[in-house]
Amino acid sequence: MTRTDTRSGGAAKVLGAVLGAGALLLPAALGPRPGPWTWVAVAGVLAGWCLLVAAAGGTEDSGPVAFVRDRLGPGPARTATALYFGGFATGQAAVALGAAEFALGDSGWRAYAVATLVLGSAAGYAWCVPRGPSPAWRRLRLAAVLALAVSWRALGGPLPGPGGEGWGAFPVAAPLLFGWVGLEGAVPAVARRRALGGTLLGIALAAALYAVLAGPPAAGAQAPTPAAAAALGLGSAALCWTYCRTNLHATAARWTELTGRTRRGGLVAAGLIALGVLALGRAARWDLPVLLIGPGAATAALYALIAVAAVRRPRPQEPTDHDHDHSAEHHRVLEGAARSAR
C-alpha cells in the first residue's frame, strides 16, 4: 500500500467513524452559532488528544474500553462502558426529537409527541430484529446522510431550530462533541505514522465539513421550496430513525456488558431513559440543543478518561475468560453522534 493510500484509508476510517446523524442534527440544532474558528479549535484539541492516545499505543486494535482497563483497571473500564450506555441512551431522545422536527418542519409539543413515536417504533424494531445493519447498509446510509446535509446547505441551510440564535451563554462545547463520537476507537499507534497522519487528516476534514454545513447561508441564498423542504425533511427524519434503531442495539449491548442481563432488558432500560429525557425536555420546554448536552457531556467524560489512561502504564495482569469476552469486536464504538447518533 502506498503512502497516499494509507493516509487516505486512515482519513476515510475517521470520517466513517465520526460522521452520521450528527451531520444533520448539529447544523439544524446549532445553526451558525459556532463559527468556523470554533470547529478549528475543537479539531485542534482532538488532534492533540489523538497524539497522546497514539503515543500510548492507540485504541484501534483493542478498543477504548479495553485500553482503559489495561491501564486503569476494571472499575474505570466499567465507568467507560457506563458512559457509553448513559450517553447514548439519553442521546436517543435528541435523535428522536431531531427526526420529529425534520418531519414536521417545526418544534413544540407536536414534535415531542412525534419523537415519542419515533423512539417507540425504533425500540420495537430493535426488539424484533436483534441484528444491526450490515456494513454495506451503513456505508449507504452515511452517503445518504451526507447527500441530505449538503442538499440542506445548498438550498439555504438546514432546517433551523428555534434555539439557533440568541442563546446568550449557552454551552456550545458539549453539543459539539456529539458530532465526534467514534473517534475514540479509531486512533492507531504512533508507530504507524502514515495511518496516524490519515487520522489527523480525517479530523481536519470532518471539522471543515461541519463548519461548512453549520455556517450561515450564503448571501442571496433562497430557502428551499415547500416541496423540496418536505422531501428533505422526511428523508432526514427517516435516516434519523435508522440511527436511533442502531444506537438502541448498541446501547443494549453495553447494558449486557454492565449487568450481565439480556439484550432485551437493555433495550427496555435505554428506551425508558430516553423517554424520560423526552418527558423532562417537554416539561422544561427544552429544545434539541439542550438535549444534546447529555450525550455530549458523556463523550467529553469518556475522552477525558481515555486521556488519563493514556498517561498511565499498562497494568500487569493475567489473561482471563472475562478479558477474552471484551475483545475489540465487543468494544466496537457506538454509532451515535455522529455515526449512529454519532
Side-chain angles (χ1 to χ4, degrees), residues 4-328:
T4 301
D5 290 339
T6 303
R7 286 185 175 175
S8 298
K13 185 171 184 178
V14 169
L15 292 174
V18 304
L19 295 179
L24 291 171
L25 295 181
L26 287 178
L30 303 180
R33 178 174 172 80
W37 289 109
T38 303
W39 294 101
V40 171
V42 170
V45 171
L46 290 174
W49 177 88
C50 275
L51 292 174
L52 174 66
V53 176
T59 60
E60 186 179 38
D61 294 330
S62 63
V65 178
F67 180 86
V68 171
R69 184 191 313 109
D70 291 344
R71 294 169 176 273
L72 299 179
R78 285 181 61 82
T79 299
T81 303
L83 287 170
Y84 269 124
F85 175 80
F88 281 91
T90 57
Q92 299 327 294
V95 177
L97 183 60
E101 291 188 354
F102 275 121
L104 297 176
D106 61 14
S107 59
W109 72 267
R110 292 193 307 155
Y112 273 94
V114 173
T116 301
L117 295 177
V118 169
L119 183 62
S121 60
Y125 187 96
W127 179 283
C128 297
V129 182
R131 289 176 295 184
S134 66
W137 163 246
R138 289 178 177 174
R139 289 191 293 269
L140 179 63
R141 179 173 60 180
L142 177 57
V145 164
L146 294 179
L148 281 170
V150 171
S151 296
W152 277 119
R153 187 67 181 85
L155 293 174
L159 182 72
E165 297 179 358
W167 293 346
F170 185 87
V172 174
L176 286 182
L177 287 175
F178 178 82
W180 291 97
V181 179
L183 178 63
E184 75 281 356
V187 181
V190 72
R192 300 178 57 202
R193 294 183 180 179
R194 295 176 183 176
L196 181 57
T199 299
L200 298 177
L201 175 61
I203 293 174
L205 292 175
L209 178 63
Y210 275 125
V212 170
L213 293 177
Q222 298 293 324
T225 64
L232 292 176
L234 290 175
S236 300
L239 284 172
C240 286
W241 182 90
T242 68
Y243 278 104
C244 185
R245 178 201 66 196
T246 304
N247 281 341
L248 287 172
H249 272 301
T251 308
R254 302 300 182 181
W255 170 265
T256 300
E257 293 174 7
L258 280 172
T259 67
R261 298 181 180 179
T262 64
R263 180 190 67 87
R264 287 186 169 180
L267 281 174
V268 172
L272 289 176
I273 290 172
L275 186 61
V277 172
L278 278 176
L280 179 60
R282 173 55 192 159
R285 297 189 177 182
W286 292 341
D287 198 35
L288 185 56
V290 182
L291 294 187
L292 291 174
I293 293 178
T299 303
L302 177 63
Y303 278 46
L305 183 59
I306 295 172
V308 171
V311 300
R312 299 287 296 273
R313 293 183 179 181
R315 294 159 50 97
Q317 56 184 351
E318 295 295 328
T320 65
D321 291 339
H322 179 72
D323 292 330
H324 291 305
D325 288 341
H326 289 77
S327 62

